[in-house]
Amino acid sequence: MSSWNLLGKCYEKIPLLGSADLWGDYPYRIRVDPRSAIGALPAARLRALVGEARQYSFDFLAWKRAFVLKKQWLVHAKRTCPRGHGALVKEVLGASQRRSFYCTQCQVLYADD
Ligand SMILES: [Zn+2]
């Protein structure tokens, strides 16, 4: 099974992961550049991504119930890195044309090559 299939299964189990505009915080939480190729992620980072997404979906529901979701975003729609690294990069990425916000200093880019 390829790592892509692993994540695909995760998507099915966690519908919220596929919802528009909520992707932004996952890569930041696990310090992975959102431009990374999924297949190039080390297994440990991929597990972290899947695990974080699962946790985030639980958090999401709790926050949504409490009407505080927007206040919980770390980088989504923010201008600066909460870890103190200055300005975030804002970019529209992928086929889904999601807006992504990321920090080039604390998020690592893993690329296929
Ligand atoms: Zn940062």
Side-chain angles (χ1 to χ4, degrees):
M1 185 177 17
S2 73
S3 55
W4 174 255
N5 287 337
L6 182 66
L7 194 67
K9 279 197 166 182
C10 174
Y11 264 79
E12 288 169 23
K13 286 179 186 168
I14 309 168
L16 288 172
L17 187 58
S19 58
D21 290 330
L22 286 173
W23 174 253
D25 261 7
Y26 300 124
Y28 183 78
R29 283 177 163 216
I30 63 166
R31 304 188 185 215
V32 169
D33 189 304
R35 294 167 299 170
S36 298
I38 293 294
L41 288 183
R45 285 296 84 193
L46 189 66
R47 276 195 298 276
L49 179 67
V50 172
E52 184 63 39
R54 186 182 299 118
Q55 182 57 48
Y56 193 88
S57 67
F58 292 137
D59 290 348
F60 176 88
L61 289 176
W63 293 333
K64 192 177 180 187
R65 284 193 196 103
F67 300 100
V68 294
L69 181 62
K70 285 188 177 179
K71 291 178 186 169
Q72 300 298 334
W73 278 332
L74 294 174
V75 293
H76 188 79
K78 298 287 195 300
R79 289 176 182 277
T80 57
C81 174
R83 296 185 184 115
H85 297 138
L88 294 169
V89 177
K90 175 184 172 183
E91 207 172 296
V92 176
L93 298 173
S96 62
Q97 295 291 290
R98 288 194 181 97
R99 285 183 307 157
S100 286
F101 298 80
Y102 59 93
C103 172
T104 55
Q105 290 186 58
C106 60
Q107 290 177 259
V108 179
L109 176 63
Y110 298 96
D112 278 323
D113 63 10

